[in-house]
């Protein structure tokens, strides 16, 4: 029988080395001394002659006032984590650890963890991004329907059309508390109901016969889609906190893709409308709403409630997927349940000025984010293009924005900075709006004003994505993250209530006032982002030196001395 000897080179990474002598001591590598870790437990792993393998060892227990959760409580989890593995592994304990020492571990290879993350990325994140695309499509297609004839058929005034936009956001904001229902009902049931409800309501818009019937349906649509706001919270069931940022970017990038698709579909439906007995705008609502009802069936059948219910994972992968999140879901030192709320952190976040800065940036972005997609087909038509051409020309800017969002999210994570990208894209969007405003005031050619749509759309879609991830990054606790995101949505979603008033009929065909206001709001985003950058730099300088962390991962790692406080570094 051959033995493997565990060596640590930092507080969370261990290397398994072949050894023929089980009595050889545990040797550490790196700069941390044994005194930093207290009395440790020697662990030997029987590899039965297999090659050295790197394992990730994570703490499964916490010491509370000297009373440490004993390792036997988690031994079954450790044994289960080794089922169906490629190696037979036996853990031998050679001496008792102290009360303050971590006494239980999760055991899995980095390759296994990477495979699981890739599966979740491909089969879960992309699917919910597709659902978000359907959601965004159903809320914003009213702009294409207006150009396709709805405005005249329902005899709407400019004020009534603004109310159709406004009432959606009123109910959307009022029902954002429904995020909590993700923990009340099984996600596969709850999400299926959400998708089916907004698909049905969006389809019923094709039957509207008056302003009041359409107003009622738009209000109900806001309720149905408000339930979908909790998707980032749902993704936290599968990802660690420091893995959520890029996945949020993938999720949000579906919005410009949906707008691009809406423009293309609007062009096709408008082109065929003259040859059909049904009005083009009614067909548009039906074609963009009804698929969600069909997709809801697949949601019910394939969306997992958690890692253990993911059908596309093997039994071994499901177990590892659960174990790698054990620290994220462990009972806190205060005794609250694993998804409980720490009211101290909630209160601290509510009193934190930086939370209001990010929410204010989100508000400013949403003024432009919500208004231009709705009004763009009309704006392009008023520039002198035909209804058919305006539907087609509204798609390319958002397709460009889709790729811009993905590139921005990737670079922002790669360079580990947020403020620089928010400032750049806010100024990019402001320049696009300013170009359209100046060109309109000078009565320039429609093509010059149309070119300005590209930097505007790339800028505000990318800025929204980074602002959301910035909020997640700079809240240390789960309760702080939840409160920060709630503030972000409640304050930020008031922006559309302003945005829907920016393009009244009396300002056509140039809409100079609306373009100038959006340019100002996006410029304000850059100013606020720069201010937040300065504040966070100051906070990082004032934080006592200690062990750097990423907002919660470092605490409680293997053998970490509880007297050495982790240093939380804000993302700049």
């Amino acid at each position: 029988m051959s033995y493997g000897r565990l060596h640590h080179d930092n507080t969370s990474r261990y290397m398994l080395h072949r050894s023929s002598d089980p009595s050889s001591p545990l040797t550490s590598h790196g700069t941390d001394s044994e005194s930093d870790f207290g009395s440790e437990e020697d662990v030997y792993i029987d590899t039965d002659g297999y090659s050295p393998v790197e394992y990730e060892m994570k703490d499964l227990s916490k010491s509370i006032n000297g009373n440490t959760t004993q390792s036997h409580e988690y031994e079954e989890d450790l044994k289960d984590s080794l089922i169906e593995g490629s190696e037979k592994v036996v853990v031998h304990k050679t001496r008792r650890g102290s009360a303050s020492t971590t006494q239980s571990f999760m055991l899995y290879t980095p390759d296994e963890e990477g495979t699981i993350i890739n599966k979740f990325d491909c089969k879960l994140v992309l699917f919910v991004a597709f659902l978000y695309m359907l959601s965004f499509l159903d809320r914003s297609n009213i702009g294409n329907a207006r150009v396709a004839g709805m405005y005249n058929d329902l005899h709407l005034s400019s004020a009534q059309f603004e109310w159709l936009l406004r009432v959606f956001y009123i109910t959307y904001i009022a029902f954002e508390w429904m995020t909590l229902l993700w923990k009340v009902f099984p996600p596969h049931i709850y999400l299926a109901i959400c998708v089916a409800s907004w698909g049905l309501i969006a389809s019923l818009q094709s039957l509207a016969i008056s302003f009041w019937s359409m107003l009622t349906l738009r209000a109900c649509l806001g309720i149905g889609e408000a339930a979908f706001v909790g998707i980032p919270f749902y993704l936290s069931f599968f990802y660690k906190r420091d893995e959520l940022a890029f996945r949020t970017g993938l999720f949000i990038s579906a919005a410009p893709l949906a707008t691009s698709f809406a423009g293309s579909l609007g062009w096709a439906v408008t082109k065929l409308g003259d040859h059909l007995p049904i009005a083009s705008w009614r067909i548009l609502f039906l074609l963009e709403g009804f698929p969600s009802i069909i997709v809801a069936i697949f949601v019910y059948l394939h969306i997992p409630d958690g890692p253990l219910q993911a059908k596309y994972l093997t039994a071994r992968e499901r177990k590892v997927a659960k174990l790698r999140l054990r620290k994220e879901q462990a009972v806190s030192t205060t005794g609250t349940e694993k998804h409980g709320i720490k009211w101290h952190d909630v209160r601290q976040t509510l009193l934190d000025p930086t939370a209001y800065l990010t929410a204010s940036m989100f508000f400013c972005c949403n003024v432009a984010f919500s208004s231009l997609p709705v009004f763009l087909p009309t704006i392009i038509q008023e520039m002198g293009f035909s209804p058919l051409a305006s539907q087609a020309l509204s798609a390319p800017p958002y397709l460009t924005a889709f790729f811009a969002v993905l590139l921005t999210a990737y670079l922002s994570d790669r360079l580990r900075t947020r403020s620089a990208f928010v400032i750049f894209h806010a100024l990019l969007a402001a320049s696009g709006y300013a170009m359209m405003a100046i060109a309109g005031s000078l009565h320039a050619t429609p093509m010059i004003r149309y070119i300005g749509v590209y930097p505007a759309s790339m800028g505000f879609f990318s800025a929204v994505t980074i602002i959301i991830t910035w909020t997640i990054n700079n809240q240390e606790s789960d309760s702080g993250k939840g409160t920060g995101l709630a503030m972000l949505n409640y304050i930020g979603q008031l922006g559309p209530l302003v945005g829907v008033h920016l393009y009244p009929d009396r300002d056509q065909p140039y809409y100079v006032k609306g373009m100038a206001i959006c340019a100002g709001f996006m410029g304000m985003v850059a100013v606020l982002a720069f201010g937040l950058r300065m504040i966070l730099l100051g906070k990082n300088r004032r934080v006592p030196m200690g062990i750097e962390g990423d907002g919660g991962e470092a605490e409680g790692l293997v053998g970490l001395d509880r007297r050495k406080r982790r240093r939380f570094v804000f993302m700049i």
Side-chain angles (χ1 to χ4, degrees):
M1 179 180 293
S2 62
Y3 290 85
R5 188 157 46 88
L6 288 172
H7 297 259
H8 66 79
D9 56 359
N10 58 46
T11 57
S12 62
R13 185 73 63 183
Y14 285 72
M15 181 68 72
L16 176 66
H17 293 281
R18 292 281 301 280
S19 173
S20 59
D21 181 11
S23 65
S24 60
L26 184 68
T27 304
S28 65
H29 296 275
T31 59
D32 294 306
S33 64
E34 185 173 354
S35 62
D36 290 329
F37 293 85
S39 176
E40 296 206 15
E41 192 174 36
D42 287 349
V43 181
Y44 298 98
I45 297 181
D46 174 17
T47 64
D48 278 355
Y50 284 88
S51 301
V53 180
E54 186 179 13
Y55 288 90
E56 185 172 347
M57 313 294 290
K58 295 244 180 177
D59 171 30
L60 289 181
S61 64
K62 284 195 174 183
S63 177
I64 307 174
N65 298 326
N67 299 319
T68 304
T69 303
Q70 297 300 313
S71 62
H72 65 79
E73 298 179 20
Y74 297 115
E75 285 178 356
E76 291 302 317
D77 289 322
L78 181 58
K79 292 177 182 178
D80 291 341
S81 74
L82 304 176
I83 63 171
E84 298 186 6
S86 59
E87 302 183 28
K88 177 182 178 182
V89 183
V90 180
V91 177
H92 305 275
K93 302 178 183 179
T94 61
R95 73 168 182 268
R96 184 180 181 84
S98 67
S100 62
T101 302
T102 301
Q103 298 183 20
S104 54
F105 305 96
M106 288 186 290
L107 184 58
Y108 49 84
T109 67
D111 287 342
E112 285 181 303
E113 185 175 27
T115 299
I116 293 168
I117 292 174
N118 288 337
K119 286 188 176 182
F120 283 146
D121 286 345
C122 296
K123 298 181 181 294
L124 182 64
V125 176
L126 292 183
F127 186 55
V128 297
F130 172 69
L131 297 179
Y132 183 61
M133 185 185 75
L134 294 177
S135 169
F136 198 84
L137 192 66
D138 290 338
R139 83 173 66 166
S140 61
N141 60 6
I142 192 169
N144 298 94
R146 173 179 178 169
V147 174
M150 180 194 72
Y151 193 84
N152 294 327
D153 289 353
L154 297 183
H155 307 291
L156 301 176
S157 66
S158 178
Q160 287 177 324
F161 184 75
E162 289 178 1
W163 264 108
L164 294 180
L165 304 179
R166 186 186 301 120
V167 72
F168 170 87
Y169 288 105
I170 290 175
T171 56
Y172 186 79
I173 295 169
F175 283 84
E176 285 192 351
W177 58 267
M178 294 174 69
T179 299
L180 298 175
L181 297 181
W182 286 91
K183 294 299 295 179
V184 178
F185 303 106
H188 78 282
I189 297 177
Y190 179 64
L191 186 56
I193 293 174
C194 292
V195 176
S197 65
W198 85 55
L200 178 62
I201 295 168
S203 299
L204 289 176
Q205 291 179 114
S206 64
L207 303 178
I209 59 175
S210 66
F211 162 72
W212 290 106
S213 60
M214 182 64 77
L215 186 73
T216 302
L217 290 170
R218 293 289 297 178
C220 294
L221 185 63
I223 297 174
E225 295 202 10
F228 196 63
V229 173
I231 279 293
F233 177 55
Y234 169 68
L235 291 179
S236 70
F237 300 169
F238 304 87
Y239 292 97
K240 298 176 184 177
R241 290 190 292 269
D242 59 350
E243 295 169 347
L244 282 174
F246 182 66
R247 278 75 195 180
T248 302
L250 292 172
F251 174 67
I252 296 297
S253 67
L257 188 62
T259 310
S260 173
F261 178 72
S264 302
L265 183 59
W267 171 84
V269 172
T270 302
K271 188 174 181 179
L272 295 175
D274 294 337
H275 307 285
L276 297 174
I278 305 175
S280 298
W281 64 271
R282 296 185 186 276
I283 298 175
L284 185 66
F285 279 133
L286 188 61
L287 289 180
E288 294 185 356
F290 188 75
S292 296
I293 301 176
I294 305 300
V295 171
I297 300 174
F298 291 92
V299 171
Y300 179 81
L301 295 175
H302 297 292
I303 283 289
D305 295 336
L308 293 181
Q309 289 75 40
K311 299 177 181 179
Y312 41 79
L313 298 182
T314 65
R316 161 69 178 172
E317 289 171 339
R318 286 195 291 270
K319 193 64 182 179
V320 173
K322 175 188 175 183
L323 289 175
R324 78 185 200 92
L325 298 176
R326 188 63 179 265
K327 177 173 168 53
E328 305 281 331
Q329 302 170 346
V331 177
S332 70
T333 58
T334 60
T336 52
E337 294 300 320
K338 54 186 176 182
H339 286 297
I341 298 175
K342 295 182 180 179
W343 293 106
H344 170 74
D345 293 339
V346 172
R347 183 171 60 253
Q348 188 175 33
T349 304
L350 290 173
L351 298 176
D352 184 7
T354 62
Y356 291 93
L357 281 177
T358 53
S360 297
M361 284 188 279
F362 197 53
F363 170 85
C364 294
C365 279
N366 270 334
V367 173
F369 182 79
S370 63
S371 59
L372 189 62
V374 172
F375 286 99
L376 183 59
T378 302
I379 293 171
I380 295 176
Q381 184 179 2
E382 295 298 335
M383 286 179 179
F385 294 99
S386 67
L388 188 62
S390 65
Q391 297 281 18
L393 290 174
S394 64
Y398 296 110
L399 188 60
T400 305
F402 167 73
F403 292 107
V405 168
L406 293 180
L407 179 62
T408 299
Y410 171 78
L411 292 177
S412 181
D413 273 350
R414 183 71 178 269
L415 300 177
R416 296 187 59 79
T417 181
R418 307 297 184 213
S419 60
F421 289 95
V422 173
I423 293 171
F424 171 78
H425 283 287
L427 294 177
L428 181 66
S431 67
Y433 281 112
M435 179 188 299
M436 289 186 281
I438 294 172
S441 64
L442 297 178
H443 297 178
T445 61
M447 186 54 65
I448 294 178
R449 285 178 282 156
Y450 176 70
I451 291 174
V453 175
Y454 284 84
S457 60
M458 287 190 293
F460 65 67
F461 274 115
S462 297
V464 163
T465 301
I466 302 303
I467 289 170
I468 293 174
T469 60
W470 204 4
T471 301
I472 295 173
N473 293 150
N474 286 336
Q475 294 296 335
E476 186 170 0
S477 68
D478 285 339
S479 296
K481 293 178 193 293
T483 306
L485 287 174
M487 293 170 61
L488 189 79
N489 280 293
Y490 271 104
I491 296 176
Q493 293 297 347
L494 295 174
L497 299 181
V498 176
V500 297
H501 296 286
L502 297 183
Y503 301 98
D505 288 345
R506 64 177 179 271
D507 290 342
Q508 62 184 6
Y510 302 109
Y511 300 101
V512 175
K513 181 181 177 181
M515 301 298 182
I517 291 175
C518 285
F521 272 108
M522 294 308 300
M524 182 58 66
V525 171
V527 173
L528 292 173
F530 181 78
L532 181 58
R533 176 185 174 88
M534 294 297 102
I535 292 174
L536 296 179
L537 284 172
K539 284 190 173 185
N540 282 343
R541 285 194 293 266
R542 290 193 297 270
V543 172
M545 294 301 294
I547 299 175
E548 288 196 6
D550 57 0
E553 293 298 327
E555 185 178 357
L557 290 174
V558 175
L560 184 62
D561 193 331
R562 291 187 296 118
R563 295 172 298 177
K564 185 177 267 187
R565 180 169 177 79
R566 176 181 46 77
R567 180 192 183 208
F568 180 80
V569 179
F570 292 95
M571 179 76 77
I572 305 299

